[in-house]
Amino acid sequence: MSAPILRKKFTKYLINCQYSAIKRESLKIIQRPCPLLYSTTATEKPKWQLVSAVCLERLPIVSAKLNEIEAKFANLQETLEYEYSSLSEFEVRHKKEQALAAKKAKEQEHGIETGETVVQTAQDIEDLWERELKEFDPATREDSNDVKSVERDLDKKLLLVVKQKLGNKEHWVLPQIPWTEGETMRQSAERCLGSSCGSEINARFIGNAPSGVYKYNLPKDLNQDHDGVKVFFFKAHHVTGDVKPGKDTISEHMWLSKDELKDYMHPDYHRTISRFIMD
Amino acid sequence: MALLQKAFQQLSRIPFRGNLSNNRTLFTQTSPTLFKVTDVVSAEPLKKRRRTDPQLVAARDAKRKRRIEKAIKKLMKTGRKLKPVDEIEGDRKLQKEKKERNRELPTLSNEQLDNRAILMKEWNLYKGVQYKKECASINTMLECQAKALSELKLESEELYMAAIQVDYQLLPYEVNGPVRTPPIKGYDPPDGEYTDTTKTYEVEIGDVTTVLKQFIRK
């Protein structure tokens, strides 16, 4: 029992001696500071490269299909509504006309002619409406399963994912661009959308604040000015237009739903991203 | 009245003979008496016009004007006073027909009622879980944003300040959908039925001056 506690305290100590000299003195388990950690404090604060990324979402166009319980409940609601309701004006009229027709049929059996006839009954009107509805041909809810098209999976929220060259390799990521001096992070995100997806695309950015951050270290051997990269994600809603990847940094693009992301992305990247994307 | 008058006049033309057997006459005249009745005037004499003081009239008008102005001011201040909901009676006709409008429904068996109750409970559970999941994901989103902002603050105070500014361009934000079937591209919706209520005035061009004169006279 005592061993894990000690280890815990030790790690806490290690952390403390890295950052705070005062705290180091207050902890009196081990009097001696660790020489190993002292050497790391000598290194400089890591330099981060700032990058803006666009999390472009296409909101669902078509209502989602009801699952089992939803369909059941919808059905129940409909019957309840029917049961609690009173007859409408149209239904009352229909009922009256039916009664009249029955009466007339009876009278004709006995050979009595009645002059009263209804020109257009409620049933006729209903049939007319039905015919009109049949004539109208709505667009299909089914769609082509083309991952490059914005008009796929109409009942889901889609995200724009691009194959972008980062370092030496190409990765499936949200389109991103390094921040340059003199602009805000959001402005660089907007610039990123323009440069990577073409001018046709029309999107609406949601707020000035980034909705998430992803940090990764750059390999040491590259000898770069930065030690790592901080990617800030800005959310935007797709309004109109298609993606036209023109730049050589981006070779391909896809519109994916949240569930499909993990098949393409780096697991660590995917974990970070899926935290701030809602279904 | 006119009939009576005529009767009298005719009567007066007949010479009165009296009783022959008595040999006595009341009137010696042989010519008719011709008594006359004046014409009936079907109207009453005109009333005398009462003289009104112009000052008094002006005062009365001013009073009425003031009262209307006061009412307008009150309306402007408080708006139209609406009828309290408790006092609204509803449609009388519908209240009378309430019984006629009842549906004839089959009575539900106990099993059906039970099934409904069970489904309601299942639904509550389902929605409760869904709500909790939603809350949790919103919380993680907020966490992510807070973390992103703090990371940005570590890098640059300036960029952080730019990020926490309110985006006034964003609101009002409007999104349509989702809908049952997707919109048809290039669909031209047919015109519905409508009645044109635009007023048309027919004035001949030659008449403009006279029309204007009439207008001014008004």
Side-chain angles (χ1 to χ4, degrees):
Chain A
M1 232 8 230
S2 61
I5 293 171
L6 245 176
R7 202 184 298 149
K8 211 173 177 183
K9 279 188 176 171
F10 184 62
T11 43
K12 199 175 176 189
Y13 167 71
L14 290 187
I15 292 160
N16 278 326
C17 54
Q18 200 174 8
Y19 291 112
S20 151
I22 306 154
K23 273 190 182 168
R24 191 194 330 143
E25 277 179 19
S26 67
L27 254 159
K28 283 167 185 172
I29 302 163
I30 303 165
Q31 301 286 334
R32 208 155 29 87
C34 180
L36 213 156
L37 278 168
Y38 253 55
S39 64
T40 58
T41 50
T43 59
E44 277 178 38
K45 192 179 149 194
K47 276 186 182 170
W48 295 98
Q49 187 192 10
L50 298 183
V51 167
S52 272
V54 195
C55 175
L56 188 63
E57 295 175 336
R58 198 229 50 204
L59 299 176
I61 295 169
V62 163
S63 53
K65 220 175 178 182
L66 301 181
N67 63 23
E68 198 190 336
I69 188 165
E70 282 170 345
K72 260 186 177 176
F73 191 72
N75 198 13
L76 176 63
Q77 283 293 308
E78 216 163 278
T79 43
L80 283 182
E81 212 161 276
Y82 178 76
E83 282 169 15
Y84 291 148
S85 69
S86 299
L87 289 175
S88 72
E89 203 73 2
F90 188 78
E91 281 169 313
V92 167
R93 182 182 156 188
H94 190 42
K95 210 173 151 186
K96 270 184 194 166
E97 278 168 4
Q98 270 180 332
L100 200 73
K103 195 181 156 195
K104 214 176 155 189
K106 220 175 193 179
E107 278 175 344
Q108 269 176 349
E109 262 180 39
H110 296 292
I112 309 161
E113 275 291 312
T114 42
E116 216 181 314
T117 43
V118 185
V119 180
Q120 194 182 34
T121 60
Q123 187 63 49
D124 292 341
I125 297 172
E126 217 173 307
D127 292 344
L128 194 77
W129 289 339
E130 209 111 305
R131 243 177 289 136
E132 201 180 329
L133 181 68
K134 264 183 192 168
E135 269 172 32
F136 179 72
D137 195 16
T140 173
R141 276 169 66 92
E142 305 298 319
D143 40 73
S144 63
N145 205 13
D146 177 17
V147 283
K148 299 212 168 185
S149 164
V150 202
E151 277 145 23
R152 73 173 286 245
D153 275 354
L154 295 171
D155 59 343
K156 282 178 193 158
K157 185 194 255 185
L158 296 183
L159 291 161
L160 177 69
V161 182
V162 295
K163 204 172 196 180
Q164 195 165 1
K165 201 171 183 186
L166 302 171
N168 299 328
K169 267 189 178 175
E170 280 192 325
H171 296 276
W172 282 107
V173 286
L174 302 179
Q176 63 179 53
I177 212 166
W179 168 78
T180 52
E181 200 75 43
E183 60 182 2
T184 65
M185 294 306 284
R186 181 183 159 165
Q187 278 163 356
S188 28
E190 280 165 4
R191 182 166 57 89
C192 165
L193 196 68
S195 68
S196 62
C197 307
S199 53
E200 257 182 48
I201 207 150
N202 194 356
R204 190 153 189 186
F205 277 78
I206 308 299
N208 286 324
S211 22
V213 65
Y214 176 65
K215 294 199 286 187
Y216 62 94
N217 292 322
L218 290 173
K220 293 267 186 227
D221 53 304
L222 278 176
N223 247 348
Q224 284 169 324
D225 329 337
H226 307 285
D227 303 318
V229 177
K230 271 187 188 181
V231 189
F232 292 94
F233 298 97
F234 286 82
K235 273 197 184 169
H237 286 171
H238 173 263
V239 184
T240 49
D242 254 324
V243 180
K244 290 257 167 74
K247 288 270 170 154
D248 42 23
T249 49
I250 288 160
S251 54
E252 275 182 82
H253 79 274
M254 279 197 288
W255 288 97
L256 298 177
S257 68
K258 195 188 170 184
D259 303 330
E260 293 165 328
L261 291 176
K262 67 172 182 296
D263 302 338
Y264 298 93
M265 284 172 171
H266 188 272
D268 205 28
Y269 187 80
H270 172 252
R271 207 179 305 124
T272 318
I273 274 188
S274 54
R275 274 168 67 78
F276 62 81
I277 293 165
M278 258 183 127
D279 274 328
Chain B
M1 204 62 187
L3 261 177
L4 198 67
Q5 188 190 7
K6 218 175 175 182
F8 265 118
Q9 275 171 0
Q10 260 172 16
L11 192 72
S12 67
R13 278 202 189 96
I14 302 164
F16 193 79
R17 296 253 174 81
N19 202 338
L20 286 172
S21 63
N22 270 351
N23 254 358
R24 280 174 67 189
T25 44
L26 276 172
F27 293 100
T28 50
Q29 262 172 293
T30 49
S31 60
T33 39
L34 292 174
F35 51 84
K36 285 196 172 179
V37 182
T38 51
D39 287 340
V40 176
V41 182
S42 52
E44 56 181 325
L46 290 169
K47 261 185 190 171
K48 243 189 185 176
R49 235 188 177 176
R50 237 172 59 203
R51 279 248 170 133
T52 46
D53 191 5
Q55 257 188 335
L56 215 91
V57 172
R60 207 188 293 146
D61 279 353
K63 203 178 172 186
R64 199 193 293 149
K65 203 177 160 191
R66 228 180 297 138
R67 202 189 300 142
I68 291 167
E69 270 173 4
K70 208 176 168 185
I72 289 168
K73 215 181 269 176
K74 203 178 170 187
L75 270 179
M76 296 272 268
K77 207 187 263 177
T78 56
R80 218 176 98 228
K81 204 175 181 185
L82 297 169
K83 201 175 178 182
V85 176
D86 299 342
E87 287 172 23
I88 295 170
E89 279 184 341
D91 197 341
R92 285 265 172 87
K93 193 188 155 212
L94 286 180
Q95 275 177 356
K96 265 186 208 166
E97 289 176 354
K98 206 181 166 188
K99 272 191 182 166
E100 290 170 35
R101 283 173 184 267
N102 278 348
R103 289 184 192 283
E104 290 155 14
L105 295 165
T107 46
L108 294 165
S109 67
N110 277 345
E111 200 185 331
Q112 274 172 311
L113 288 172
D114 283 352
N115 281 341
R116 283 185 181 188
I118 290 167
L119 183 56
M120 280 287 190
K121 288 191 174 173
E122 274 176 12
W123 178 254
N124 280 352
L125 196 68
Y126 172 75
K127 282 316 258 189
V129 170
Q130 203 180 41
Y131 170 73
K132 272 181 189 164
K133 273 186 190 166
E134 226 161 76
C135 283
S137 59
I138 288 169
N139 278 341
T140 39
M141 275 170 77
L142 288 174
E143 273 170 33
C144 280
Q145 184 159 58
K147 199 197 167 196
L149 282 172
S150 63
E151 288 284 349
L152 189 61
K153 199 177 182 182
L154 288 177
E155 294 310 312
S156 157
E157 192 76 24
E158 228 172 83
L159 289 178
Y160 171 75
M161 286 315 284
I164 59 167
Q165 294 309 310
V166 178
D167 183 7
Y168 290 103
Q169 304 290 309
L170 184 64
L171 294 173
Y173 186 46
E174 196 182 302
V175 186
N176 290 328
V179 288
R180 176 90 191 111
T181 55
I184 302 169
K185 265 179 197 164
Y187 182 67
D188 184 25
D191 281 340
E193 286 164 20
Y194 69 97
T195 45
D196 196 359
T197 55
T198 319
K199 278 180 187 172
T200 51
Y201 301 95
E202 280 174 27
V203 179
E204 283 172 34
I205 295 166
D207 274 339
V208 168
T209 45
T210 51
V211 167
L212 279 178
K213 267 179 195 167
Q214 274 176 1
F215 184 72
I216 288 160
R217 219 175 290 148
K218 269 178 196 171

